[in-house]
Amino acid sequence: MRTLRKVLDTIYLAGGVLGALFLICILVIICAQMISRWSGVSFPGSTNYAGYCMAASTFFALAYALNAGAHIRVSLFLSRMGRFRRFGEVWCYSIAALTMTFFSWHALSRNLQTRKFNFVSQGLDATPLWIPEISMTVGSAILAVALWDQLLRIVFTDHMGVASRDSMEIGD
Amino acid sequence: MDHFSLTIIFLFVLFLLLGSGVWIGLALMGVAAVGIVLFDKGFVGANLTDKAWDSASNWTLTALPLFIWMGEILFRTRLSEDMFRGLSPWMARLPGGLLHTNVVGCTIFAAVSGSSAATLTTVGKMSIPELRRRGYPEFMTIGTLAGSATLGLMIPPSLTLIVYGVTINESITQLFMAGILPGLVLAAMFMLYVACWYFLRPGQRPRAEPVIGFREKLANSRFLIPVICLVLLVIGSMYAGFATATEAAAFGVLGALVLAAAQGSLTWSTFKESLLGATRTSAMIALILMGAAFLSLSMGFTGLPRALAEWISTLGLPPTVLIAALMIFYIVIGMFLDGISAVVLTMAVVEPMVRTAAFADLGFDMIWFGIFVVVVVEMAQITPPVGFNLFVLQGMTSHEIGYISRTAAPMFLIMIVMVGVLVLFPELATWLPENLRNQP
């Protein structure tokens, strides 16, 4: 059980680190694109590559963001539920876990299809789309696992879920 | 079931999921899935992954994590002390004195930061203790800070404007340019308020600052040089037309790293924290955008946006009345949702309405509307019961929310006046983007 806990936590953190690395990739690609424009060397498909990195940065980091409490919600009623809060949390995590399981299942089947029919990007990059789409398949699956993980702990232990931020708190 | 009751069920599920506390991005996905099933419009899964992938891998969106990262780096530098030191000699002799450092400090920091909370904490960290020490009334210190921090969203870069631009497919650069003049006008109005306080409440004036020679003032200004360079780099590169919003963001990150390194505040741990912080925040916003993209598809199936636009056009109301109604609508929504969620959730419904001829006749286009939305969404952030700027100030000053919102009330009124100014002079927002030269 303890090993499982360790493995899962490592996976979530690794996703976050991977997301961060892809964020650096975005920076590098954008800079390379500017340099290529000024120097006249062409860098075809740079915008597409930056887009794939954006998607990868997002999807890999989704579960890490969940466990860090970064995803936002409207906690107005939840925080007023007092000792019934556990039921509220079970409801929220169930909906979220079901949604993400559905999502990741379809992401996987989409990914298998783009691989099977070898769909290629319409842009100048002509990347086989199944490669960047791996980030969606893997990332959404990690988030789904993280949500089930939280839900099971709420139901069977004293855990109350992550203290995620209220929608009002994102401070934009 | 008929179309009308299906729409009612759809809206009910929307409010149920959002209100019960499901994470906003996932709630929007869930509602959208229910909508597609209700209206029997094809495959939920395929549509969902389609929309999610398109929205997440959108190139325009890459400006978002980069600007967030830039803000995270700057937050960990000594920028706030430097700005106060550089600005205070110039502000000290103005009517209203150092209170102007709040407004001007926020205006300058807003030009390198995309969020109002970051602006508020960075400027307030230094100005609140300094102004207190010099005996400025607390009411004015906190009020001007709460109000001026909202400039963080109006003056480019602005996270809300990036999200708005991505949602409705308008140029981010144009939206950024549109925010500059209204932002400066709003800052001027805040400064006018400070000056009015100075003349109307002479009893509250603190002891005048010692006179500083011009030479010394100039010497102190050297502290402003790094931040001014950064502003010129970010906004200047977009204005001059040799960088897109994303490229300007990349400049910003590199500039912020150089600035932090020059100050000696760039360590491995601050670098790591800023990068992971930016990754988390950008993943959070991207999840909301994915949900919103899927929801607007589903919302289209309900026919709600079109029906609403048609219904409103049959009422024959003048657009100014509609703008007033929308202002109230956004302030109410803003009581429960943050600015970004409020924008993505409503644009599917509001966009067809704003794109009608009645609005265009008055000079209101989608660019103008973006600036309008930013002002009203920010007004919601300084009104009770929930408003983020109020929470941040509560954390920084340990005053009650009620007191802080009273200090912010005059700023709220000034922002209502600002909406009026925008309605009367839409060119304020539209002139600069229209006259942008050679965009890349």
Side-chain angles (χ1 to χ4, degrees), chain B residues 19 34 78 90 228 324 399 409 418:
Chain B
V34 170
R78 279 186 286 112
W90 298 101
I228 301 281
H399 284 295
M418 184 66 213

Side-chain angles (χ1 to χ4, degrees), chain B residues 82-416:
Chain B
D82 282 359
M83 273 200 336
F84 190 84
R85 264 200 283 185
L87 282 176
S88 52
W90 298 101
M91 304 297 143
R93 310 301 294 174
L94 293 178
L98 292 184
L99 284 173
H100 290 292
T101 54
N102 268 347
V103 184
V104 179
C106 285
T107 311
I108 295 177
F109 194 72
V112 289
S113 146
S115 104
S116 77
T119 309
L120 181 59
T121 36
T122 310
V123 176
K125 197 157 66 174
M126 195 65 196
S127 76
I128 293 176
E130 289 288 334
L131 290 177
R132 270 186 185 161
R133 200 162 57 79
R134 289 173 164 83
Y136 281 88
E138 193 80 0
F139 188 88
M140 288 301 292
T141 308
I142 296 180
T144 51
L145 196 55
S148 315
T150 63
L151 292 169
L153 276 192
M154 186 113 112
I155 294 179
S158 156
L159 301 189
T160 309
L161 281 179
I162 297 177
V163 168
Y164 175 85
V166 168
T167 311
I168 62 160
N169 250 326
E170 289 282 348
S171 151
I172 311 284
T173 314
Q174 295 219 345
L175 282 165
F176 277 3
M177 290 303 130
I180 295 179
L181 290 178
L184 293 178
V185 169
L186 190 56
M189 279 156 61
F190 288 150
M191 288 178 84
L192 200 64
Y193 166 70
V194 172
C196 286
W197 161 81
Y198 180 80
F199 290 117
L200 294 178
R201 294 266 185 282
Q204 292 183 1
R205 291 178 201 171
R207 207 152 37 85
E209 293 285 313
V211 183
I212 304 176
F214 185 74
R215 196 181 276 260
E216 203 177 331
K217 275 186 195 172
L218 221 51
N220 265 326
S221 302
R222 71 178 186 278
F223 293 112
L224 290 176
I225 295 172
V227 69
I228 301 281
C229 286
L230 211 50
V231 172
L232 289 178
L233 190 67
V234 173
I235 299 185
S237 63
M238 276 188 287
Y239 182 76
F242 66 79
T244 60
T246 308
E247 291 165 354
F251 276 134
V253 172
L254 295 178
L257 284 172
V258 169
L259 192 150
Q263 280 193 349
S265 44
L266 185 66
T267 61
W268 170 243
S269 82
T270 54
F271 178 79
K272 199 178 64 184
E273 276 167 35
S274 68
L275 181 59
L276 283 174
T279 309
R280 286 195 297 267
T281 308
S282 108
M284 177 271 287
I285 297 179
L287 181 65
I288 296 177
L289 282 170
M290 282 186 244
F294 187 37
L295 179 69
S296 71
L297 176 82
S298 179
M299 197 81 105
F301 293 149
T302 65
L304 194 66
R306 208 177 13 141
L308 193 70
E310 278 166 11
W311 174 69
I312 285 172
S313 66
T314 57
L315 291 179
L317 292 170
T320 39
V321 176
L322 286 177
I323 289 291
L326 279 172
M327 182 171 84
I328 295 166
F329 171 70
Y330 274 107
I331 291 173
V332 172
I333 288 190
M335 286 178 176
F336 307 98
L337 284 178
D338 59 279
I340 288 176
S341 306
V343 167
V344 298
L345 188 60
T346 53
M347 278 328 289
V349 181
V350 173
E351 192 185 349
M353 204 168 96
V354 182
R355 286 200 194 270
T356 53
F359 275 82
D361 289 345
L362 286 174
F364 302 162
D365 54 10
M366 290 314 285
I367 301 283
W368 177 90
F369 194 75
I371 304 304
F372 164 80
V373 164
V374 166
V375 180
V376 291
V377 155
E378 273 303 287
M379 281 159 72
Q381 308 289 55
I382 55 169
T383 43
V386 271
F388 183 65
N389 287 3
L390 303 179
F391 289 148
V392 173
L393 277 168
Q394 186 184 31
M396 292 174 83
T397 64
S398 46
H399 284 295
E400 281 171 33
I401 286 286
Y403 174 78
I404 299 171
S405 44
R406 272 201 305 283
T407 69
M411 316 307 275
F412 182 81
L413 295 179
I414 292 174
M415 290 167 88
I416 291 187

Side-chain angles (χ1 to χ4, degrees), chain A residues 59-77:
Chain A
F59 283 115
F60 285 128
L62 281 176
Y64 166 68
L66 176 83
N67 290 325
H71 290 300
I72 54 166
R73 62 205 298 202
V74 180
S75 54
L76 200 63
F77 298 100

